[in-house]
């Protein structure tokens, strides 16, 4: 098979099969394939009454990348399609950027590169799972018995907006007066729809700021780059991956790199929510121009399937052993850049002592590493030699699972070490993070081909700019905080505020819960209810949500899913298609833009936007005028426009008439610095944010504050297990749980969103249909392991450990290495026994509850021990009749009526 045909087949595999003809029986049935590959060029396509613009990045962090045109007829979304830039602006004005390298060209194009699930997202508007009116748990009485033990089991009954918001306001007042405001916990966080005026992770925090200044905030740790934040940051001071000084790396790789290492990530999937399909397009082009792409990961993920020239199937959570062995080869054979080490780093002699075995008597040779990491020693040596001989960069798609495992700061520090040994910042030797604004962001911070239109209304209005609050809990420690018995004399303590981008020094500061004089949590208000399916130890969180100390849980969400099942009050929220807003796209691989998000369809049922829903509570608290600032939605849209920084003047009237403003490519962008170039050329005048200003193999900060931390030593070490975690095949626990699980960002969802879209659920790689008709979350298992376990493709399997169990549908494939199983994170909750088991396959439930290491409060959601076995679902149905008898639809899953009390 030719390379072109092979790639074509693999591309088609993304839509449900191995070859192009399989499309007819896969995605084509759903309409996804037709939508993606139909070019609509009309201003208002036939069959549509109007077209509005919406950001479909759907990543929830305020920047709605991947602007789309949404065609509407009547009160129904007809289609979602890419934005055609040249409709509003001439090609001469936009000046599309072109990367020229090795006799070939890579162009930005004149339409957005929206991801596949953006096309299918319209199906969520009228999902069977929509919350259409306020609801209350049937056995929760704010004036009587509250029955917290029944959360996750009890059904809901419809109530009015007046009743719901009165209850919420009264509970806020009651808890404040009874226990104090720190007893109210606000989960205003990411993992929801990307909005600005109506933002989740913003509206409830703004109102609570008006109530008082000491409510408890859920501080989100940098989950997609845990290891770099807790580890590499102590080597090079940047956060994460040096992103705030990075730019022009696509150009540098194309011109100078001979080899690109994709380490521990699925570049195809993890960038969809931010950068659309730019990374995939770019990697196809790299193949054309001869840049070798090597994937170092346990699975042939979708990026590897399409782009890998070489796959190195390392065991999960053993990357540091492989990396240490590479360093050994370089030191032993004198292959590293000694001059660079001398001028750009400190403490290399300490690192060398460890690698060569002078510290512990064990040289970190390839022969030593091979049985640990599962990569033959000859392959380790070959990779080391190729890397040293050829200009090599490392690429990541938002981190990947290896950066979210136990002790993940160590592979992150080894990565920084290896790149420094090869001359970090020299042409073709950089680190590339394929995620939207890190590549094409603000010119003043991250030089890139396109200008940015910096629209900051989200921060300006909602006040969610992560200023330190008096009381906070890291997201990873929430279950422990709720379930523990903490007092002033014995509080829960941790290091660092944990919110990404905070200064490195903050990691040495001690925080506590409860704050001095405060009471434990008694009320939770969440606007992003997916903790259980996105973070570590979800079963412990389910138990925490049912704890008697938590007297009231309020959740606002468009769909009844995940943590909503444990709420006492549910507020129905619009989708972004049912409200007006303003959005920002920092490039997504093309042009920075701001855009007016017009009303596409009318609000379904009695749903309101987050802004309006919280406003109703504000009215009951007498804080509505302060909450809105005296402005309506249109006025806040103008505030957003006025906050935008654009390279060319444009009036608000022109902006509203056109619908968006796209910034042109800046002149001379090719000459701007690339990655670590400034530091590389002049380390004295372009110091890093470390105490020495250089790369620190010996971390001065860790040495000062944590000199005896054997889980995060002063110098990078290979740490496979320790006092805190025994999640290694070398541990005794592996006798009972002999597999390591890979849990990537999902292919057909974004985190825990979109598990109810019919178009994607029909794709065979999205769900596996069980003998009972239920669509199970896929579990990949190698044929060698499957034969031992008596498992065949299509079987229903139990994935389990001592923390609980989840179900899945087996796919027997050589795309996962032996001793490893693979199941994406974020499947929608379908509890069998809350706190113990789940039918939907939400494997975060059985991830470790303990954090990255003793002084690093990060998550561990991949690379942990499990076992797997075939199960008879009909026997399980006899054992758990209630869970297995819920009304179910194969195309959307369990619907809302399952959880509603009959009228």
């Amino acid at each position: 098979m030719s390379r072109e045909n092979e790639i074509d087949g693999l591309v088609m595999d993304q839509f449900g099969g191995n070859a192009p003809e399989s499309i007819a029986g896969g995605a084509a049935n759903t309409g996804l394939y037709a939508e993606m590959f139909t070019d609509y060029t009309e201003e208002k396509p036939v069959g549509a009454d109007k077209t509005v613009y919406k950001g479909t990045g759907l990543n929830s962090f305020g920047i709605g990348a991947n602007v789309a045109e949404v065609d509407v007829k009547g009160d129904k979304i007809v289609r979602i399609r890419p934005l055609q830039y040249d409709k509003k602006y001439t090609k001469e004005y936009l000046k599309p950027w072109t990367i020229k390298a090795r006799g070939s060209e890579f162009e930005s194009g004149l339409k957005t590169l929206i991801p596949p699930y953006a096309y299918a997202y319209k199906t969520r508007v009228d999902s069977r799972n929509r919350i259409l009116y306020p609801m209350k748990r049937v056995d929760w009485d704010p004036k009587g018995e509250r029955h917290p033990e029944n959360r996750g089991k009890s059904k809901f009954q419809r109530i009015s907006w007046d009743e719901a918001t009165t209850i919420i306001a009264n509970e806020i007042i009651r808890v404040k007066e009874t226990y104090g405001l720190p007893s109210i916990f606000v989960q205003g966080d990411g993992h929801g729809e990307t909005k600005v005026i109506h933002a989740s992770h913003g509206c409830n925090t703004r109102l609570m700021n008006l109530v008082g200044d000491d409510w408890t905030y859920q501080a989100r740790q940098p989950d997609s780059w845990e290891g770099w934040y807790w580890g590499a940051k102590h080597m090079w001071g940047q956060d994460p991956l040096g992103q705030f000084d990075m730019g022009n790396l696509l150009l540098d790789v194309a011109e100078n790199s001979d080899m690109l290492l994709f380490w521990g990530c699925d570049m195809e999937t993890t960038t969809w929510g931010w950068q659309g399909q730019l990374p995939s397009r770019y990697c196809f082009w790299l193949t054309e121009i001869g840049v070798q792409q090597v994937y170092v990961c346990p699975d042939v993920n979708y990026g590897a399937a399409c782009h890998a020239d070489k796959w190195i199937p390392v065991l999960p959570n053993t990357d540091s052993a492989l990396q240490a062995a590479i360093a050994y080869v370089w030191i032993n054979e004198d292959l590293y850049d000694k001059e660079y080490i001398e001028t750009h780093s400190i403490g290399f002699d300490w690192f060398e002592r460890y690698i060569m075995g002078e510290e512990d008597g064990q040289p970190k040779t390839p022969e030593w590493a091979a049985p640990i990491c599962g990569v033959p020693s000859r392959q380790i040596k070959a990779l080391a030699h190729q890397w040293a001989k050829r200009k090599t960069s490392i690429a990541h798609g938002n981190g990947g699972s290896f950066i979210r495992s136990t002790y993940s700061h160590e592979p992150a520090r080894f990565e920084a070490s290896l790149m420094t040994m090869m001359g970090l910042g020299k042409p073709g030797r950089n680190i590339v993070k394929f995620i939207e604004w890190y590549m094409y962001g603000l010119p003043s911070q991250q030089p890139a081909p396109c200008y940015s239109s910096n629209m900051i209304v989200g921060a300006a209005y909602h006040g969610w700019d992560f200023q330190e609050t008096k009381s906070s809990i890291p997201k990873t420690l929430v279950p422990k905080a709720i379930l523990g018995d903490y007092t002033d004399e014995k509080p829960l303590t941790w290091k660092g505020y944990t919110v990404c981008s905070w200064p490195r020094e903050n990691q040495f500061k001690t925080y506590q819960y409860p704050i001095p004089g405060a009471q434990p949590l008694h009320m939770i208000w969440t606007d992003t209810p997916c903790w259980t399916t996105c973070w570590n130890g979800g079963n412990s969180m389910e138990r925490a949500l049912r704890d008697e100390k938590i007297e009231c849980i309020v959740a606002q969400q468009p769909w009844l899913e995940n943590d909503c099942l444990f709420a006492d009050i549910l507020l129905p929220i619009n989708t972004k298609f049912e409200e007006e807003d303003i959005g920002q796209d920092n490039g997504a691989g093309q042009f920075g833009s701001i855009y007016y998000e017009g009303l596409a369809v009318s609000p379904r049922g009695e749903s309101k936007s987050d802004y309006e829903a919280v406003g109703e509570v504000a009215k009951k608290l007498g804080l509505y005028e302060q909450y809105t600032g005296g402005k309506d939605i249109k006025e806040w849209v103008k505030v957003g426009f006025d906050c935008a920084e654009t390279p060319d003047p444009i009036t608000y009237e022109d902006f509203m008439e056109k619908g968006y403003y796209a910034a042109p490519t800046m002149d001379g962008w090719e000459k701007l610095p690339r990655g670590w170039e400034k530091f590389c050329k002049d380390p004295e005048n372009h110091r890093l944010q470390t105490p020495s200003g250089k790369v620190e193999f010996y971390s001065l900060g860790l040495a000062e504050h944590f000199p005896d931390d054997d889980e995060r030593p002063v110098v990078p070490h290979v740490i496979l297990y320790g006092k805190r975690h025994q999640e290694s095949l070398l541990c005794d626990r592996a006798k009972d749980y002999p597999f390591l699980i890979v849990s990537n960002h999902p292919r057909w969802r974004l985190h825990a969103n979109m598990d109810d879209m019919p178009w994607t659920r029909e794709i065979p790689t999205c769900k596996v249909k069980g003998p009972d008709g239920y669509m199970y979350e896929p579990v990949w298992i190698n044929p060698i392991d499957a034969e031992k376990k008596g498992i065949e493709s299509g079987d229903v399997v139990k994935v389990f450990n001592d923390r609980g169990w989840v179900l899945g549908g087996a796919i027997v494939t050589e795309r996962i290495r032996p001793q490893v199983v693979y199941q994406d994170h974020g499947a929608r909750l379908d509890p069998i026994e809350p706190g113990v088991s789940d039918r939907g396959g939400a494997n975060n439930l059985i991830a470790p509850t303990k954090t990255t290491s003793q002084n690093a409060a990060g998550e561990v959601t991949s690379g942990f021990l499990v076992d797997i076995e075939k199960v008879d679902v009909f026997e399980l149905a006899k054992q758990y009749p209630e869970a297995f008898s819920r009304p179910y639809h194969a195309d959307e899953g369990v619907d809302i009526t399952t959880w509603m009390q009959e009228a």
Side-chain angles (χ1 to χ4, degrees), residues 3-268:
R3 176 66 179 175
E4 291 76 14
N5 288 338
E6 180 183 6
I7 290 175
D8 189 43
L10 290 169
V11 172
M12 294 304 110
D13 186 44
Q14 298 174 42
F15 300 98
N18 303 322
E21 56 267 23
S22 68
I23 293 292
N29 286 349
T30 66
L32 177 58
Y33 177 74
E35 288 288 300
M36 287 189 64
F37 293 94
T38 299
D39 234 352
Y40 297 99
T41 56
E42 307 93 337
E43 182 72 18
K44 191 180 296 179
V46 175
D49 298 328
K50 65 177 180 179
T51 297
V52 300
Y53 302 111
K54 292 288 180 182
T56 60
L58 303 169
N59 62 19
S60 78
F61 297 110
I63 299 178
N66 305 306
V67 189
E69 300 190 48
V70 180
D71 299 322
V72 180
K73 183 175 180 60
D75 201 31
K76 180 180 180 181
I77 297 173
V78 178
R79 65 182 66 85
I80 298 174
R81 56 196 172 90
L83 167 64
Q84 303 279 347
Y85 286 113
D86 56 344
K87 287 184 185 178
K88 302 287 185 181
Y89 297 93
T90 64
K91 187 174 183 178
E92 291 70 28
Y93 170 77
L94 284 175
K95 297 179 292 185
W97 54 264
T98 301
I99 297 176
K100 299 178 180 180
R102 313 184 200 206
S104 185
E105 296 183 354
F106 181 72
E107 297 181 345
S108 61
L110 284 169
K111 71 176 181 179
T112 56
L113 303 169
I114 64 177
Y117 51 55
Y119 293 87
Y121 197 83
K122 68 179 185 178
T123 62
R124 299 210 82 194
V125 173
D126 293 305
S127 167
R128 291 187 181 97
N129 204 33
R130 281 296 299 269
I131 303 173
L132 296 177
Y133 33 76
M135 294 195 290
K136 182 181 75 70
R137 188 161 58 87
V138 294
D139 53 356
W140 182 82
D141 181 357
K143 296 180 180 179
E145 293 295 324
R146 298 186 179 229
H147 295 291
E149 74 280 1
N150 288 336
R151 292 185 183 124
K153 295 181 179 179
S154 300
K155 295 190 176 186
F156 295 88
Q157 62 187 23
R158 180 177 179 176
I159 59 176
S160 68
W161 269 101
D162 180 67
E163 182 180 358
T165 53
T166 298
I167 290 173
I168 296 169
N170 288 343
E171 285 295 287
I172 291 173
I173 295 169
R174 181 188 67 82
V175 173
K176 179 182 178 181
E177 293 177 349
T178 306
Y179 306 107
L181 204 55
S183 290
I184 300 178
F185 185 52
V186 180
Q187 294 181 299
D189 195 0
H191 288 196
E193 287 192 303
T194 299
K195 304 175 184 180
V196 176
I197 299 169
H198 308 278
S200 55
H201 55 276
C203 296
N204 56 2
T205 61
R206 175 170 174 80
L207 176 58
M208 290 306 298
N209 280 334
L210 298 173
V211 175
D213 63 355
D214 56 350
W215 51 275
T216 299
Y217 171 67
Q218 178 173 271
R220 176 179 180 157
Q221 85 293 342
D223 59 288
S224 290
W225 46 83
E226 294 285 16
W228 296 305
Y229 181 82
W230 300 107
K233 192 165 185 171
H234 295 288
M235 289 194 67
W236 54 32
Q238 308 291 314
D239 170 35
L241 290 179
Q243 73 192 54
F244 296 114
D245 292 322
M246 298 293 100
N248 268 350
L249 290 177
L250 299 190
L251 178 63
D252 178 68
V253 168
E255 288 187 343
N256 300 305
S257 294
D258 302 307
M259 185 166 68
L260 191 58
L261 298 177
F262 290 86
W263 207 299
C265 67
D266 180 356
M267 177 277 303
E268 284 277 333

Side-chain angles (χ1 to χ4, degrees), residues 466-708:
F466 299 128
Q467 294 302 308
E468 189 172 356
T469 56
K470 290 183 178 180
S471 179
S472 66
I473 304 172
K475 196 163 188 177
T476 51
L477 294 178
V478 174
K480 188 172 184 179
I482 294 174
L483 294 172
D485 184 18
Y486 301 108
T487 64
D488 282 346
E489 292 73 29
K490 188 183 177 182
L492 171 65
T493 61
W494 64 91
K495 297 292 184 178
Y497 192 50
T498 76
V499 174
C500 63
S501 304
W502 274 62
R504 175 187 54 83
E505 295 83 1
N506 181 260
Q507 293 186 28
F508 308 135
K509 182 178 178 181
T510 300
Y511 293 82
Q512 74 173 60
Y513 161 83
I515 58 175
Q519 296 292 311
L521 299 183
H522 289 282
M523 179 178 179
I524 297 174
W525 187 355
T526 177
D527 65 9
T528 46
C530 63
W531 199 109
T532 53
T533 48
C534 293
W535 260 259
N536 51 305
N539 272 334
S540 63
M541 183 61 168
E542 289 190 359
R543 291 191 289 273
L545 293 175
R546 301 171 73 198
D547 190 89
E548 63 181 6
K549 289 193 295 293
I550 305 301
E551 299 170 359
C552 176
I553 300 177
V554 177
Q556 55 192 71
Q557 175 79 338
W559 307 277
L560 185 64
E561 55 191 11
N562 306 323
D563 298 5
C564 289
L565 303 182
F566 295 82
D568 301 314
I569 296 291
L570 290 169
L571 297 181
I573 301 300
N574 298 155
T575 66
K576 65 187 290 110
F577 298 102
E578 300 156 63
E579 56 201 25
E580 294 180 89
D581 207 341
I582 185 168
Q584 173 189 13
D585 185 341
N586 264 13
Q590 282 124 340
F591 307 95
S593 63
I594 56 174
Y595 46 92
Y596 168 62
E597 293 196 299
L599 184 71
V601 295
S602 61
R604 297 321 196 214
E606 296 180 5
S607 65
K608 299 179 184 293
S609 70
D610 287 279
Y611 174 85
E612 294 167 330
V614 176
E616 292 300 311
V617 179
K619 291 177 183 178
K620 299 296 174 64
L621 292 171
L623 296 171
Y624 187 71
E625 285 301 311
Q626 298 97 308
Y627 169 77
T628 62
K631 295 181 174 64
D632 61 20
I633 300 301
K634 282 282 198 295
E635 290 171 314
W636 278 116
V637 169
K638 188 173 188 306
V639 170
F641 173 82
D642 292 339
C643 288
E645 299 172 1
T646 60
D648 297 306
I650 178 175
T651 67
Y652 177 67
E653 290 71 25
D654 284 344
F655 167 70
M656 292 298 288
E657 180 182 352
K658 290 182 171 66
Y660 67 90
Y661 166 82
T665 301
M666 66 171 66
D667 295 326
W669 64 268
E670 304 95 329
K671 299 177 182 179
L672 294 169
R674 306 176 183 188
W676 300 80
E677 181 181 1
K678 289 183 179 180
F679 169 72
C680 177
K681 290 182 176 179
D682 188 358
E684 299 302 323
N685 290 313
H686 296 282
R687 294 167 56 87
L688 300 180
Q689 298 171 37
T690 57
S692 66
K694 297 182 179 182
V695 177
E696 296 187 356
F697 286 87
Y698 181 98
S699 169
L700 297 178
L702 293 179
E704 178 183 356
H705 296 277
F706 306 117
D708 302 318

